Amino acid sequence: MLPHSFTMIATIIIVLTQTFVGVTSLPQADKISTLPGQPQVKFQQYSGYITVDDQNQRALFYYFVEAEKDPTSKPLVLWLNGGPGCSSIGVGALVEHGPFRPGDNNVLVKNHYSWNKEANVLYLESPAGVGFSYSSNTSFYTLVTDEITARDNLVFLQRWFTEFPEYSNNDFFITGESYAGHYIPQLAQLIVQTKANFNLKGIALGNPLMEFDTDLNSKAEFLWSHGLISDSTYDLFTRVCNYSTIRRQMIHGNLSDVCEAIYILVFTEVSDYIDQYDVTLDVCLSSVNQQAFVLNQLQETQKIDVCVDDKAISYLNRKDVQDALHAKLVGVSKWSTCSSLCYSVLHYDHRNLEIPTISILGSLVNSSIRVLVYSGDQDSVIPLLGSRSLVNGLAKELGLNTTVAYRAWFHEKQVAGWTQVYGDILSYATIRGASHEAPFSQPQRSLGLLKAFLKGNPLPSIK
């Protein structure tokens, strides 16, 4: 959230100034002829860099996939992963809903539920220091904030649309998950405030961090209700020291002995072999020790590769892949999934986690921007309990009447989740059986959710 008027005015001036600066890359130069090991496809792919700060040589890396059919008439969807500091290409594109996933024997396999069946999809690695994005001035990495990220993302979009003007009139949507619950509302707010010439129609937030205390404290009830912690531990985790208190103390470097003991007790009972991003599914044993540090890509019960994250990392660290993507490593020796966590390249201001963004959703609704919040219902990191209550509370605050009562929605004649709609502009949905990264663990249902959202339709009922 960007609360200070003088800061906002300065940001607007920076954005407008940088919009008129020439962009060095050309779309034709960014066109991908083919990715190593990919199956043959008919749609076009582009990737490369957009400079967002000429003086400090700060550039953001993108991967753009045109829709499989009729790209000129399909919406444009920007996807942002969270973290903060995790890659939209390594996670969103290669693991969740891009056209390909890394398979065995150094090949890519077709994702039959890719989001480019319904839209042109733009994956952005943001902020600089994430994935292939970089700043030549390394002092930038010292302390990156939400405000900086929103500003750079806006400059990126201004310049990207200059390079791809044929998409400037398409319906534009911003989507993402987790800490993108900060990135997306803040970027959308900046677009509205600067009157940027984008055809922004809506935003969709998956398992998003929107309000620190509500979101984090719903973890205790989720773990307890799923049998992962005992009654006595649940009592301590709610009455003596709750999770938001533990995380707040960690952020400020003053974790008390009592809260530390409860934290250790909770995660001892949960165990190292349960992935908190999907509590019902197996883990890739080679990644068990990393699971407290990166977003792990989890799996549904239908032949899902539990080690796909490892394969994505290996794939993106290949020199031939980097050449095909027009990517380079600047200031780092290898590509990593989450730069701010694994290798400490990017130091994000984690005090920003405590900035609430739920009120920004209200301002966007008042600006006629459609808002969807959805939850994979097996995620204990940002559980559905907090997200659902926040959206319901926002609807009451805005005076929005329920237009679709809380009900099950369906895909392929099965319950795909539950949904409620307020005023035909604010909606909430769960995705049944889905993890924190819902499009990976439930790809069909997630694609169905996206399709309805882009068209402005209620999620399908059984009738």
Side-chain angles (χ1 to χ4, degrees):
M1 186 165 59
L2 308 176
H4 303 297
S5 58
F6 72 91
T7 302
M8 184 57 62
I9 293 171
T11 299
I12 293 170
I13 292 172
I14 291 169
V15 169
L16 293 178
T17 300
Q18 293 187 333
T19 300
F20 293 104
V21 178
V23 182
T24 56
S25 63
L26 295 173
Q28 197 60 36
D30 287 357
K31 187 174 181 180
I32 298 171
S33 57
T34 186
L35 292 172
Q38 78 160 65
Q40 186 175 359
V41 294
K42 295 181 180 180
F43 56 84
Q44 301 298 319
Q45 307 173 77
Y46 297 83
S47 61
Y49 290 93
I50 297 290
T51 301
V52 295
D53 186 325
D54 298 284
Q55 182 176 355
N56 293 295
Q57 298 182 37
R58 190 159 69 248
L60 300 184
F61 187 78
Y62 77 91
Y63 171 52
F64 175 53
V65 184
E66 287 190 338
E68 288 187 355
K69 297 180 180 179
D70 304 318
T72 56
S73 63
K74 292 286 177 64
L76 173 67
V77 170
L78 172 68
W79 174 265
L80 299 171
N81 274 95
C86 294
S87 167
S88 297
I89 294 165
V91 182
L94 276 184
V95 174
E96 296 193 70
H97 47 63
F100 314 112
R101 286 181 178 168
D104 297 323
N105 303 316
N106 296 318
V107 300
L108 296 176
V109 296
K110 187 75 174 72
N111 176 13
H112 297 291
Y113 307 104
S114 173
W115 280 15
N116 79 321
K117 291 183 177 297
E118 298 295 335
N120 304 283
V121 188
L122 175 61
Y123 299 92
L124 174 62
E125 294 197 304
S126 172
V130 174
F132 294 117
S133 296
Y134 68 90
S135 173
S136 293
N137 182 352
T138 56
S139 65
F140 169 81
Y141 300 138
T142 303
L143 193 65
V144 180
T145 65
D146 282 357
E147 182 179 336
I148 292 171
T149 301
R151 182 191 67 206
D152 281 2
N153 288 348
L154 179 59
V155 175
F156 169 86
L157 287 173
Q158 293 277 12
R159 295 185 171 191
W160 189 88
F161 277 115
T162 299
E163 292 299 310
F164 293 85
E166 59 268 39
Y167 291 100
S168 60
N169 293 322
N170 293 49
D171 288 350
F172 179 49
F173 296 86
I174 310 176
T175 61
E177 66 197 11
S178 194
Y179 198 73
H182 280 222
Y183 294 160
I184 294 171
Q186 291 162 347
L187 173 58
Q189 181 186 51
L190 199 52
I191 289 171
V192 172
Q193 291 177 333
T194 59
K195 296 181 171 58
N197 191 27
F198 308 150
N199 194 18
L200 180 62
K201 296 295 186 181
I203 64 171
L205 314 175
N207 292 83
L209 178 65
M210 298 183 293
E211 203 283 314
F212 191 80
D213 290 325
T214 302
D215 284 322
L216 269 63
N217 289 335
S218 64
K219 186 181 187 76
E221 184 173 357
F222 185 93
L223 293 177
W224 173 77
S225 66
H226 283 69
L228 300 179
I229 59 174
S230 63
D231 290 359
S232 59
T233 298
Y234 172 72
D235 180 61
L236 292 172
F237 203 27
T238 53
R239 183 177 54 83
V240 178
C241 187
N242 61 31
Y243 193 46
S244 70
T245 300
I246 291 172
R247 288 298 302 272
R248 185 173 285 110
Q249 290 181 1
M250 286 180 169
I251 289 169
H252 296 282
N254 58 356
L255 182 61
S256 68
D257 291 342
V258 170
C259 288
E260 182 179 17
I262 292 173
Y263 178 79
I264 292 171
L265 177 62
V266 167
F267 292 103
T268 298
E269 289 187 355
V270 171
S271 94
D272 291 337
Y273 293 90
I274 291 293
D275 195 304
Q276 294 179 58
Y277 295 94
D278 189 326
V279 300
T280 65
L281 299 176
D282 297 334
V283 298
C284 178
L285 294 180
S286 66
S287 298
V288 163
N289 293 330
Q290 302 176 27
Q291 291 188 28
F293 303 101
V294 303
L295 296 179
N296 287 282
Q297 288 63 57
L298 299 184
Q299 52 294 119
E300 63 183 352
T301 56
Q302 307 169 0
K303 295 183 180 179
I304 292 296
D305 183 356
V306 300
C307 296
V308 66
D309 181 56
D310 292 348
K311 293 176 182 178
I313 293 171
S314 297
Y315 187 78
L316 289 172
N317 273 296
R318 288 169 47 182
K319 184 62 168 62
D320 59 338
V321 172
Q322 293 172 8
D323 289 343
L325 286 169
H326 320 119
K328 55 187 177 182
L329 297 175
V330 179
V332 293
S333 59
K334 64 180 296 185
W335 184 94
S336 61
T337 304
C338 297
S339 300
S340 66
L341 302 174
C342 296
Y343 297 99
S344 298
V345 173
L346 171 67
H347 298 274
Y348 209 94
D349 189 348
H350 283 89
R351 294 172 297 183
N352 284 186
L353 272 69
E354 299 181 54
I355 298 174
T357 60
I358 186 67
S359 61
I360 302 180
L361 299 189
S363 69
L364 295 172
V365 166
N366 288 332
S367 297
S368 301
I369 305 297
R370 286 195 286 118
V371 174
L372 164 66
V373 176
Y374 65 91
S375 298
D377 64 8
Q378 300 307 312
D379 177 31
S380 76
V381 176
I382 308 289
L384 71 94
L385 303 170
S387 300
R388 185 174 61 187
S389 66
L390 285 168
V391 173
N392 187 52
L394 178 61
K396 291 179 180 178
E397 181 181 327
L398 296 175
L400 296 176
N401 295 323
T402 296
T403 51
V404 175
Y406 196 82
R407 63 161 173 82
W409 68 277
F410 290 78
H411 184 80
E412 299 292 333
K413 298 182 180 180
Q414 295 292 331
V415 174
W418 283 261
T419 185
Q420 186 165 359
V421 182
Y422 309 88
D424 294 323
I425 194 167
L426 174 66
S427 56
Y428 176 75
T430 66
I431 301 178
R432 180 172 167 242
S435 65
H436 187 74
E437 295 163 356
F440 178 74
S441 53
Q442 286 291 341
Q444 290 174 279
R445 293 171 181 175
S446 297
L447 183 59
L449 182 89
L450 176 75
K451 182 177 180 180
F453 176 64
L454 296 180
K455 293 182 176 180
N457 295 332
L459 288 166
S461 63
I462 193 63
K463 296 179 182 179

